[in-house]
Amino acid sequence: MGSSSGAAGGSMLACGVCPHGCRLHEGSFGICGARTVRSGKVASLSYGQATSLALDPVEKKPFARFHPGSMILSYGSYGCNLRCSFCQNSDISMVDAAGSLPTHFMSPENLIERAIELRAQGNIGVAFTYNEPFIAPEYLMDAARRARGEGLASAAVTNGYVAKPVWDEALPHLDALNIDLKCFSEEGYRLLGAPGGLAVVKRSIETALEAGVHVEVTTLVVPGFSDDEELFERECAWIASLDPSTPLHISRFFPAYRMIGAQPTPPAVLGLFQSIAKRYLAHVYLGNV
């Protein structure tokens, strides 16, 4: 993984897309592995660098109450600004521009042209997903603007650990968000390398709802990390305090990345969490079961 603290090479610049605020010099990488300094400016290395492109059911994102039954063109690149040991997409999220991951360039214009071509197959728009889309907000917004101009929807699946100015700038261009709420404690977010992360993600959810974007929340129930009943109940109560009609996806963990030797989430735990959530929220879904 690249580093924001490599050998000196000119002045350091702060990246402003997420709360890490990585200080970068020419040729170094931020924590996300996808941002650097080029010609004296912080730049996205992953702009338009596609690792995945697929026409998916919108429910797969997951969205349960955003155009159900429709298809959406899913675009993914590489890199992430969190370090989850249980990452379910580590093959693209935990690599950087120095890696050997095959990519192909897809301009925002080409992406939207492809989305238009797929309308005949039920496509409603574009979803930025698979890795963390907000580490390349320039691409997300460029493509989303074009999608809006063509009457297509734009959705993003994100961890919500995004700097407020970037988040606020992007919201008017987005129609739907699925936001991963990894856990409901600051201690948990510190383990993911994101001090203060819970407060940031809560703010992201709140402001997206206030902006009128369709919001669904996902919590992956990881044994020993996010399976505390009391904390989960607090999470559900908090979401309900914003809008009890907000859909919540309770997702089952399967061994992956640095937790390859762990056990999947026991079905009984998922059932218990579903019953807790239904006490507070109108729309609760189990995923990965």
Side-chain angles (χ1 to χ4, degrees), residues 76-156:
S77 187
Y78 65 84
C80 186
N81 59 346
L82 295 184
R83 286 295 171 266
C84 304
S85 60
F86 45 82
C87 182
Q88 306 284 289
N89 286 313
S90 61
D91 55 333
I92 59 173
S93 292
M94 297 299 157
V95 298
D96 60 30
S100 58
L101 191 70
T103 64
H104 66 277
F105 181 72
M106 176 161 279
S107 69
E109 295 87 352
N110 290 156
L111 180 65
I112 301 311
E113 286 171 6
R114 182 63 178 144
I116 292 170
E117 291 170 0
L118 291 168
R119 270 180 163 150
Q121 296 180 41
N123 182 43
I124 61 165
V126 177
F128 303 90
T129 181
Y130 301 136
N131 75 306
E132 175 48 55
F134 275 90
I135 60 174
E138 303 93 340
Y139 184 81
L140 184 153
M141 285 187 266
D142 284 350
R145 288 187 190 99
R146 286 170 172 79
R148 181 70 55 83
E150 296 292 342
L152 293 165
S154 291

Side-chain angles (χ1 to χ4, degrees), residues 46-227:
S46 61
Y47 185 101
Q49 297 298 323
T51 60
S52 307
L53 193 68
L55 186 64
D56 290 328
V58 73
E59 289 84 0
K60 190 177 176 182
K61 298 304 90 195
F63 286 109
R65 302 185 70 80
F66 180 71
H67 297 282
S70 300
M71 305 294 285
I72 195 160
L73 179 61
S74 298
Y75 166 92
S77 187
Y78 65 84
C80 186
N81 59 346
L82 295 184
R83 286 295 171 266
C84 304
S85 60
F86 45 82
C87 182
Q88 306 284 289
N89 286 313
S90 61
D91 55 333
I92 59 173
S93 292
M94 297 299 157
V95 298
D96 60 30
S100 58
L101 191 70
T103 64
H104 66 277
F105 181 72
M106 176 161 279
S107 69
E109 295 87 352
N110 290 156
L111 180 65
I112 301 311
E113 286 171 6
R114 182 63 178 144
I116 292 170
E117 291 170 0
L118 291 168
R119 270 180 163 150
Q121 296 180 41
N123 182 43
I124 61 165
V126 177
F128 303 90
T129 181
Y130 301 136
N131 75 306
E132 175 48 55
F134 275 90
I135 60 174
E138 303 93 340
Y139 184 81
L140 184 153
M141 285 187 266
D142 284 350
R145 288 187 190 99
R146 286 170 172 79
R148 181 70 55 83
E150 296 292 342
L152 293 165
S154 291
V157 181
T158 173
N159 60 37
Y161 192 64
V162 182
K164 188 177 187 302
V166 173
W167 187 256
D168 290 348
E169 184 182 356
L171 287 179
H173 306 292
L174 292 169
D175 300 286
L177 285 159
N178 188 297
I179 303 172
D180 286 329
L181 186 48
K182 305 289 185 179
C183 61
F184 209 65
S185 74
E186 288 294 3
E187 179 183 0
Y189 272 93
R190 281 195 295 273
L191 292 174
L192 307 183
L198 177 60
V200 172
V201 179
K202 287 171 69 176
R203 183 201 68 212
S204 293
I205 294 170
E206 289 171 354
T207 53
L209 286 168
E210 289 168 358
V213 178
H214 177 87
V215 175
E216 304 197 14
V217 176
T218 294
T219 294
L220 181 70
V221 183
V222 182
F225 175 75
S226 53
D227 60 348

